[in-house]
Amino acid sequence: MDLASLETPVPVVDLDIVEANLKRMQDYCDAHGLALRPHIKTHKIPALARRQLELGARGITCQKLGEAEVMADAGLDDILISYPLVGEPKAERLAALARRAKMRVSIDNPLALETVARAARHGHEIGVLVEFDSGNGRTGVTSIDGVVELARAIRATEGVRFDGLMNYPVSARSGEILRDLLPRLKAEGLEPPVISGGGTPNAFRTHEMAPVTELRVGTYIYNDRMTVGAGHARWEDCALTLHVTVISRPRPDLAIIDAGSKVFAADIMPGGPGEGHGYFPAYPGAKLHKMSEEHGMVDLSACERKPQLGERLRVVPNHVCPVSNLADRVAFARGEAFQGFTDVAARGRSQ
């Protein structure tokens, strides 16, 4: 088989671009003394996680227990879950993971700490990172006093270990908070062994923004329209493209492709929905302006040259992570040479 013979829609991953992206990030981390702990939420494929480790990553990051279970099944044994876990069922699953992998979990509240402590009662110590919020408005302790109080509680809890701090995304504000926070923790005898920062768009500026010791990045392995727009990557650094086919041309300025929201997800660019849901390298003026579940409506009014009925197109998605999660498998390629299909083993693991 070759790429042109694959049925569409199909996500295609160029392994040569993947390799270049991985080496670029690993080289940056090595040059600045950062431990790289890649987030597998972007690719969800154990073979790619193993390659990240082979190139020098210290371990992996997962967002949910289900992802971590898939990775542990594949033999990966140093895992951070960068998400608060709450409740007895989560504690039981975390305990099972801790029997076969070195586990760390981030928390921002006492109930999440209690969940980790319940898991640790089964006999395996679990590391804990306290997440602090630097303005993202998502998870994270929102005050320095709150971080210190939670770190004290971790130290006083049997079976868990205070492993440090976590923040997403790392930013100049992260650095400001750490300048005030670190002396407070040192005075308490709670100097953090790890300061973990995350986020691909500003990854190569991490060393300038905050004194982090570990970098969690996911999107960098594939890149996407958002990372290109943020200046992190070039179009030629985008390893995953969606191959689609023009199935209808109802008007001269409109093409219908065989992929909609079940393939592209619904992420929009920072400029808003008017920018469309993907980038067409061969037709830069085209805009995927509207989708139903199985149809993509492409506005061609800004294209001097227009795609023909039956033509195969390649599209760089706005945000690649949910695209991975929508696909049971991806096609691996090297340039135009098809290498085979690979299951996206951790897709759909939302628990």
Side-chain angles (χ1 to χ4, degrees), residues 144-162:
I144 288 175
D145 287 345
V147 172
V148 174
E149 182 180 351
L150 195 52
R152 287 192 197 120
I154 293 167
R155 180 171 58 186
T157 301
E158 185 177 354
V160 302
R161 181 183 65 247
F162 175 63

Side-chain angles (χ1 to χ4, degrees), residues 18-32 34 36 170-171 197-210 212 215-221 223 227-228 230-234 237:
V18 163
E19 188 76 2
N21 291 341
L22 296 185
K23 287 182 176 178
R24 180 182 177 217
M25 187 64 73
Q26 188 65 58
D27 287 348
Y28 167 78
C29 288
D30 291 345
H32 293 281
L34 297 171
L36 178 60
V170 66
S171 64
T200 291
N202 291 319
F204 294 121
R205 296 181 53 233
T206 299
H207 67 288
E208 302 170 357
M209 295 188 293
V212 306
L215 182 60
R216 308 180 326 278
V217 279
T219 311
Y220 81 103
I221 187 171
N223 289 308
T227 58
V228 172
H232 169 83
R234 306 162 299 170
D237 300 321

Side-chain angles (χ1 to χ4, degrees), residues 313-330:
L313 308 176
R314 300 185 185 193
V315 193
V316 178
N318 285 357
H319 185 193
V320 73
C321 301
V323 169
S324 288
N325 194 53
L326 291 169
D328 288 327
R329 62 180 188 171
V330 297

Side-chain angles (χ1 to χ4, degrees), residues 21 30-31 38 45 77 96 104 111 127 137 182 202 227 234 258 275 333:
N21 291 341
D30 291 345
I45 297 172
D77 61 2
R104 283 178 175 158
L111 185 56
L182 292 178
N202 291 319
T227 58
R234 306 162 299 170
D258 58 351
E275 295 189 28

